Amino acid sequence: AHQWLGLAMETILNLPIENKIFYAVLVFSWTVYLWEAYLAYRQRRIYRLTMHVPQELGKIMDTDTFEKSRLYQLDKSNFSFWSGLYSETEGTLILLFGGIPFVWKVAGTVTARFGLGPEYEIFQSLSFLILATLFSAFTGLPWSIYNTFVIEEKHGFNQQTLGFFLKDAVKKFIVTQCILLPVTSLLLYIIKIGGDFFFIYAWLFTLGVSLVLVTIYADYIAPLFDKFTPLPEGELKEEIESMSKSISFPLTKVYVVEGSKRSSHSNAYFYGFFKNKRIVLFDTLLEDYSPLNKDGEPEIDTLTEDKSKLKNKKQGCNNPEVLAVLGHELGHWKLGHTVKNIVISQMNSFLCFFLFAVLIGQKELFMAFGFYNSQPTLIGLMIIFQFIFSPYNEVLSFCLTVLSRRFEFQADSFARGMGRASELCSALIKLNKDNLGFPVADWLFSMWHYSHPPLLERLRALGSTKQD
C-alpha cells in the first residue's frame, strides 16, 4: 500500500501544471460539498431526534408549531441534499467533458452567423453568457418548481399559481439579461483598453454599477415583480416617522409590498442613499394587512387600522412589534453596519480584481479548462473568480457570517436601548412561528451557516426567554 501511494504521488507530481490546477479545483469543490453535506447531516439529525419542545422553549412555543417547523425544516434539508448533489455532479461533468469550451465554441458559431469573427470577442462573450444562463435556467427550473409547488405548498407558504410562477421566471430572466449583458460588455471593454491599471478602472466601474443598482432596484426593478403601495396615513405611519426622526434617520417614504402574492414568508428592509431613505414592509409582516387574517382577497389601499380586527389573528405583528422590528433594522443604519458591509465588499472586490490582473496572463489557467489556443477575458474572469478564488471565497464567507451575527446582536441591543426589548422578543417569537423556523440548531451547522443568531440566543441577549 505504501508503495502504491508513493507511485500515485509521483504520478501526480509529474502531471503538467494545467492538469494539477484542474484536479485541484475538482478536489476542492468536492471537499467543500462533502463538508456542507456533513454539516447538513448533523442538522438533519437534530430535526429527526428532537421530537418534543425543549423545556427552555416550553413557554414560547406550542407543540403543534414545534412539530410543523420540525417537519418543514426536515423537508427543506432533504431537498437541499438532493439539489446540492445534483448541482455538484452537474458542475463536475461540465468540467470533465469540456462543457465550458464547448459552449464558447457554440457561441462563436452563433456570432459567426452574423458575420462576426473571433476578433469580436465581446460579442462572442455575450452570446456565451446568454447560452450559459439559458442552460442554468432550464436545469434549475424543475428544482425550483418542486421547491415552490411541493415543499412550500405542503407547508402552507406558497401563494403562486404555476402560470404566475412561470411568468415570473421569464420576467426575471429578461430583466437579468437587460442588466447583465450591457454591464458585462462594458466591463470587458474596460479590461481590454485599461492597460496596466485596468483592475482599478474595472473596480471603479463595478462599484458604480452596484451603487446605481442599489439606488434604482426598489423604485424601478422590484415593482416589476411586486406591487408597492404607500403605507396609509394612520397610527403606524405616524409612529414610524416619529421613531425615524428620534434617531435622525432621513425617512422619505414608507411602502407596503404585496409579497403575499408569491409567499406568506415575511420581511422588512430599508434602502436608499444619503437623505433619501425608504422603508419597505411586507404585507405578511403586518397583522392588519396579512391576507391570512382576512376572509376575502385583501386590497392593501382600502385596509384600515380598525382595532376590532385584531382578534383571531393568524399571522403578522401588531404595531408595537412592527416598530420594534424597525428599531432593529434602523439600528443597522445607526451603527454603520450597512456602510461597513459596503466597505468590506469593495475592499474584497478591489483585491480580487488586482489578483485577477496578476493571474490573467497565466496560459496554464486557460489550458486547465480546455482553452489551448485562446484566452478570452470572460473565461478568465470565470476561471479565476469562480474556481481559483474558491478557497478564499469559502474563508471570506465564513468570516462574513460571523460578522453578520455580531451585527444582529448589536442591532437587537440598539432596539433594546430604544425601550423596545419586550416587543422585539414578542416579534421574534411570532416571526419564528409564522416562518416555521426551528429553534434548535446543531452548534457546528449554526456556526458555519447562520447569518442571524438562533432565536434562543437572541432572546437571552434581549433579557427574555419567555413570553406571557
Side-chain angles (χ1 to χ4, degrees):
H2 179 75
Q3 191 175 18
W4 180 87
L5 184 62
L7 184 63
M9 288 298 295
E10 185 179 350
T11 303
I12 292 171
L13 291 173
N14 289 332
L15 285 172
I17 183 68
E18 60 267 23
N19 288 17
K20 290 179 183 176
I21 292 170
F22 179 81
Y23 290 120
V25 166
L26 273 186
V27 168
F28 184 78
S29 179
W30 276 95
T31 301
V32 170
Y33 169 76
L34 292 172
W35 167 246
E36 296 280 3
Y38 168 68
L39 293 178
Y41 164 75
R42 289 175 62 105
Q43 185 62 22
R44 270 196 304 279
R45 285 187 77 246
I46 297 289
Y47 297 146
R48 289 196 181 104
L49 300 178
T50 313
M51 304 292 290
H52 304 287
V53 182
Q55 186 175 0
E56 194 174 6
L57 294 168
K59 294 184 179 180
I60 65 172
M61 199 170 197
D62 60 87
T63 305
D64 183 53
T65 301
F66 184 84
E67 180 63 9
K68 285 180 180 178
S69 66
R70 186 183 75 84
L71 294 175
Y72 175 53
Q73 297 298 336
L74 186 59
D75 281 351
K76 281 178 62 179
S77 183
N78 288 329
F79 172 79
S80 180
F81 169 79
W82 290 110
S83 63
L85 179 61
Y86 168 80
S87 179
E88 187 65 24
T89 304
E90 178 190 85
T92 300
L93 292 174
I94 287 171
L95 292 179
L96 287 174
F97 290 98
I100 298 174
F102 172 75
V103 176
W104 180 259
K105 186 177 179 181
V106 173
T109 304
V110 172
T111 52
R113 287 181 177 273
F114 293 92
L116 303 173
E119 66 274 15
Y120 292 93
E121 185 188 307
I122 291 178
F123 288 98
Q124 187 171 351
S125 298
L126 298 183
S127 178
F128 175 87
L129 269 181
I130 293 172
L131 292 171
T133 51
L134 271 173
F135 175 81
S136 178
F138 277 110
T139 56
L141 186 62
W143 295 98
S144 184
I145 289 174
Y146 185 88
N147 181 57
T148 302
F149 293 99
V150 176
I151 295 177
E152 295 292 302
E153 184 82 30
K154 174 183 175 183
H155 295 279
F157 288 113
N158 177 48
Q159 306 295 321
Q160 303 177 72
T161 62
L162 182 59
F164 180 90
F165 175 88
L166 293 175
K167 180 183 175 183
D168 214 40
V170 171
K171 201 187 295 184
K172 284 177 184 175
F173 183 83
I174 293 171
V175 170
T176 300
Q177 299 307 310
C178 289
I179 297 171
L180 181 65
L181 298 181
V183 168
T184 302
S185 60
L186 284 171
L187 177 61
L188 295 177
Y189 181 72
I190 289 168
I191 292 173
K192 290 285 185 187
I193 67 165
D196 292 340
F197 298 101
F198 77 82
F199 63 94
I200 297 176
Y201 309 133
W203 168 67
L204 288 172
F205 172 70
T206 55
L207 169 61
V209 168
S210 62
L211 293 179
V212 169
L213 287 177
V214 167
T215 303
I216 69 171
Y217 174 78
D219 285 328
Y220 299 103
I221 300 175
L224 296 173
F225 302 94
D226 296 302
K227 181 182 178 183
F228 285 72
T229 307
L231 181 67
E233 297 296 331
E235 181 185 343
L236 179 58
K237 185 177 181 181
E238 290 172 3
E239 290 179 334
I240 290 173
E241 290 173 343
S242 175
M243 182 171 68
S244 300
K245 191 175 181 180
S246 71
I247 61 167
S248 303
F249 180 76
L251 178 65
T252 55
K253 292 181 181 177
V254 184
Y255 292 109
V256 178
V257 59
E258 202 172 1
S260 56
K261 288 184 70 175
R262 65 184 74 245
S263 172
S264 58
H265 288 296
S266 50
N267 197 7
Y269 62 91
F270 70 86
Y271 69 98
F273 287 110
F274 309 115
K275 301 294 183 182
N276 188 28
K277 307 286 188 187
R278 290 100 182 273
I279 288 175
V280 176
L281 307 169
F282 279 53
D283 58 352
T284 47
L285 177 68
L286 310 173
E287 66 177 15
D288 284 337
Y289 290 80
S290 176
L292 291 188
N293 302 329
K294 306 293 174 181
D295 294 326
E297 184 70 14
E299 287 293 331
I300 278 183
D301 51 350
T302 62
L303 297 177
T304 59
E305 296 184 342
D306 186 348
K307 302 297 182 184
S308 65
K309 293 182 180 179
L310 296 180
K311 297 178 182 178
N312 302 318
K313 293 297 183 184
K314 300 175 186 176
Q315 185 190 45
C317 298
N318 60 36
N319 286 3
E321 290 162 348
V322 171
L323 290 168
V325 171
L326 287 179
H328 167 95
E329 294 300 327
L330 295 180
H332 284 305
W333 171 79
K334 191 70 174 178
L335 298 171
H337 296 164
T338 308
V339 173
K340 289 173 186 174
N341 280 329
I342 291 173
V343 170
I344 291 169
S345 172
Q346 292 309 315
M347 287 174 63
N348 172 63
S349 178
F350 180 83
L351 174 64
C352 288
F353 273 117
F354 172 74
L355 293 175
F356 170 77
V358 173
L359 296 172
I360 189 63
Q362 305 298 315
K363 293 183 179 179
E364 293 83 1
L365 291 177
F366 291 91
M367 293 168 66
F369 294 90
F371 289 84
Y372 297 98
N373 302 316
S374 62
Q375 291 86 42
T377 303
L378 178 66
I379 301 301
L381 284 166
M382 179 188 295
I383 291 171
I384 293 171
F385 277 76
Q386 185 175 341
F387 299 127
I388 306 304
F389 287 171
S390 53
Y392 165 74
N393 290 336
E394 287 297 320
V395 174
L396 178 66
S397 176
F398 173 69
C399 292
L400 291 177
T401 299
V402 173
L403 182 65
S404 174
R405 282 200 298 271
R406 179 177 175 82
F407 284 171
E408 292 302 318
F409 277 127
Q410 290 176 353
D412 282 352
S413 179
F414 183 85
R416 183 180 61 192
M418 297 179 75
R420 301 185 182 276
S422 63
E423 292 89 349
L424 184 56
C425 286
S426 176
L428 290 173
I429 292 165
K430 280 188 178 181
L431 292 174
N432 188 78
K433 179 180 178 180
D434 289 348
N435 293 287
L436 291 185
F438 195 69
V440 184
D442 173 77
W443 72 271
L444 194 56
F445 181 87
S446 169
M447 180 186 74
W448 189 259
H449 280 294
Y450 282 14
S451 60
H452 287 57
L455 176 64
L456 270 178
E457 290 184 24
R458 295 181 73 176
L459 295 180
R460 288 191 198 113
L462 285 164
S464 170
T465 57
K466 57 187 178 182
Q467 176 69 15
D468 291 339

